Amino acid sequence: MKSRTDSELAARVARDIPDGAYVNLGIGKPTHVSAHVPDGREVIYHSENGILGVGPTPAPGQEDCELIDASKRFVTAAPGASYFEQADSFAMMRGGHIDIAVLGAYQVAQNGDLANWATLDDSYPPAVGGAMDLAAGVPTIFVMMRHVSRDGSPKLLERCTYPLTGLGVVSRVYTDLAVLDVTPEGFRLIELTPGNSLDQVQALTGAPILT
Amino acid sequence: MDKTVPDLARAVAPITDGASVMIGGFGASGIPFGLIDALLDHGATGLTVISNNAGAGDTGIGRLLKENRVAKVICSYPRSPGSVWFERRYEAGQIALEVVPQGTLAERMRAAGAGLGGFFTPTGYGTRLAEGKETRVIDGRGYVLEAPLSADFALLRAEAGDPWGNLRYRVTARNFNPVMATAARHAIAEVRHLSTQPLDPETVGTPGIFVQSLTEYGVRP
């Protein structure tokens, strides 16, 4: 199987983010998307801890310990940036003002259900952060994840088995093996990572892939 | 009017055992580390801590957990890197946890501060976090009724303050501090610069009416 690296996957997601979009990047792999947006596009990144217009990582020695993003990484403010408090930040998210959110996931179902905040292991403290607010309020949710879990089990399913973050909210899924749209009929193939066959990818997917 | 108190110890003196305490900050930014250390020295225990995170390492909320001062945590994201003391207390069953979506946490505080009886939010509808709560379909969309969240005290961090209790914030250290100021019955701020002159009204992030006391603590983490 041919598998996209995290960097190649971030670049693939970045291609689908249009000029002028307001975008929230979730914790983990999605944070890498901003480094791959094609030249000539201005994308404005929102971070839920209170900044619109997240700029690049500061040079070593230039970090401002109070200026961080939702992943708690040091960031800078891009031209045109603003700072605000939590209630305003979540008005942007829940109120439908952010155009696109790119999130990681444990599971995605063929009806667009998203599970990315809790597992079935109750001894492990759940942590939701802003994920449910993004799922509820952002009109376009891109999921970026490995196609299968570490133990090899499918993460694209007919129904999620993990606790849900949002119902029917996912628009498109980008994995190391394929890109799929969530449609009223189920997962529809947009593209395979070059070198993979549909049969190979279908065998690692827990729901039918339409073409 | 002068709401300043001379030091951190006197600022936290009103906090009693079993109090609910909102603590500002996100990650390590905007956390009132000076007030938290003073609260530890003060000795209050059995606290309900309301904050976005559940501390990291041996400082701040992590230190309150390490020294067993916390009975319950209400937060959105207790599992940050380095949240070892929270995880230890949680796994040992020594602490209660209420997980609230981050925007719902902020809005519940806003509702409390604004005198509202609650609000319907689409966040969490149909999920485990909506179980047992009243729901309603409005214009074809499902919403969950969430209750206001107030607290006995709030511990805040700001860049500057004046004797009237006005606070000015800096970059992303603002985060939960302004909304917590409104939701607590007694809000206490540590400020990096305490000005004897009034702050420029144009730059005030939290109007002084929401702040009961403030003190200078110049250290920036």
Side-chain angles (χ1 to χ4, degrees):
Chain A
M1 296 292 283
K2 297 289 184 192
S3 181
R4 278 195 168 106
T5 64
D6 287 350
S7 176
E8 290 166 346
L9 187 55
R12 177 62 189 85
V13 174
R15 264 174 46 199
D16 288 351
I17 296 179
D19 185 42
Y22 291 101
V23 175
N24 183 292
L25 300 176
I27 290 171
K29 288 187 175 68
T31 56
H32 300 296
V33 169
S34 60
H36 296 277
V37 168
D39 289 344
R41 287 186 205 175
E42 183 182 15
V43 175
I44 299 185
Y45 297 102
H46 170 269
S47 188
E48 58 262 36
N49 58 313
I51 174 171
L52 185 66
V54 178
T57 304
Q62 299 297 306
E63 297 90 352
D64 178 336
C65 67
E66 291 184 315
L67 182 47
I68 61 172
D69 68 7
S71 298
K72 289 136 189 151
R73 300 177 313 162
F74 296 118
V75 295
T76 54
S82 54
Y83 303 116
F84 35 82
E85 55 105 355
Q86 287 294 285
D88 285 346
S89 186
F90 282 81
M92 294 178 196
M93 297 155 73
R94 202 194 303 106
H97 307 282
I98 306 286
D99 298 307
I100 299 170
V102 184
L103 303 176
Y106 296 137
Q107 297 176 334
V108 176
Q110 62 186 359
N111 64 354
D113 286 357
L114 170 67
N116 77 346
W117 75 283
T119 67
L120 300 175
D121 179 0
D122 282 336
S123 68
Y124 198 58
V128 66
M132 284 191 184
D133 299 284
L134 288 166
V138 179
T140 300
I141 304 282
F142 290 163
V143 164
M144 178 178 169
M145 66 179 192
R146 298 269 122 193
H147 202 88
V148 297
S149 65
R150 284 204 185 92
D151 67 8
S153 58
K155 299 175 67 158
L156 291 155
L157 301 167
E158 291 186 353
R159 292 180 69 85
C160 293
T161 58
Y162 283 10
L164 295 182
T165 307
L167 280 62
V169 296
V170 176
S171 302
R172 182 173 276 196
V173 184
Y174 301 82
T175 80
D176 49 327
L177 305 182
V179 180
L180 304 118
D181 266 350
V182 176
T183 73
E185 295 76 40
F187 292 121
R188 184 169 295 279
L189 184 69
I190 300 299
E191 67 187 46
L192 296 165
T193 299
N196 294 332
S197 74
L198 178 59
D199 287 348
Q200 285 175 310
V201 175
Q202 179 65 75
L204 296 171
T205 306
I209 299 175
L210 309 172
T211 55
Chain B
M1 184 174 282
D2 186 1
K3 295 187 178 183
T4 59
V5 291
D7 54 46
L8 295 164
R10 269 170 275 199
V12 301
I15 299 177
T16 52
D17 286 356
S20 54
V21 184
M22 291 176 173
I23 301 180
F26 180 101
S29 183
I31 290 186
F33 285 105
L35 288 171
I36 297 171
D37 284 344
L39 180 58
L40 276 146
D41 294 340
H42 163 64
T45 192
L47 302 170
T48 292
V49 168
I50 305 165
S51 193
N52 189 60
N53 303 108
D58 286 354
T59 62
I61 295 171
R63 198 174 155 218
L64 285 171
L65 290 158
K66 179 182 180 182
E67 301 197 13
N68 254 326
R69 306 295 179 82
V70 183
K72 181 176 183 181
V73 169
I74 301 175
C75 74
S76 88
Y77 207 84
R79 219 170 51 201
S80 301
S83 302
V84 287
W85 285 106
F86 173 80
E87 284 169 24
R88 205 168 292 185
R89 298 289 176 228
Y90 182 82
E91 283 162 16
Q94 294 168 326
I95 196 164
L97 172 66
E98 180 182 346
V99 170
V100 182
Q102 194 173 334
T104 299
L105 187 64
E107 197 64 15
R108 288 179 63 191
M109 294 172 188
R110 205 192 71 79
L116 301 175
F119 56 94
F120 282 99
T121 177
T123 301
Y125 182 80
T127 75
R128 181 193 280 186
L129 293 187
E131 284 172 10
K133 293 175 181 167
E134 186 179 335
T135 60
R136 187 172 297 184
V137 175
I138 301 170
D139 288 338
R141 189 157 187 225
Y143 292 82
V144 185
L145 178 62
E146 294 283 357
L149 180 64
S150 61
D152 299 321
F153 296 92
L155 305 183
L156 312 175
R157 166 82 185 177
E159 181 67 8
D162 68 19
W164 291 264
N166 296 309
L167 304 178
R168 187 177 77 225
Y169 299 100
R170 186 177 168 275
V171 299
T172 52
R174 180 180 314 219
N175 54 61
F176 275 90
N177 286 294
V179 76
M180 286 179 173
T182 71
R185 286 174 280 280
H186 185 112
I188 306 162
E190 65 168 57
V191 296
R192 185 155 176 261
H193 298 292
L194 182 59
S195 170
T196 54
Q197 298 303 307
L199 297 184
D200 176 354
E202 298 276 16
T203 68
V204 171
T206 289
I209 193 170
F210 297 120
V211 176
Q212 278 63 49
S213 71
L214 71 166
T215 194
E216 189 168 71
Y217 183 66
V219 178
R220 182 179 281 167

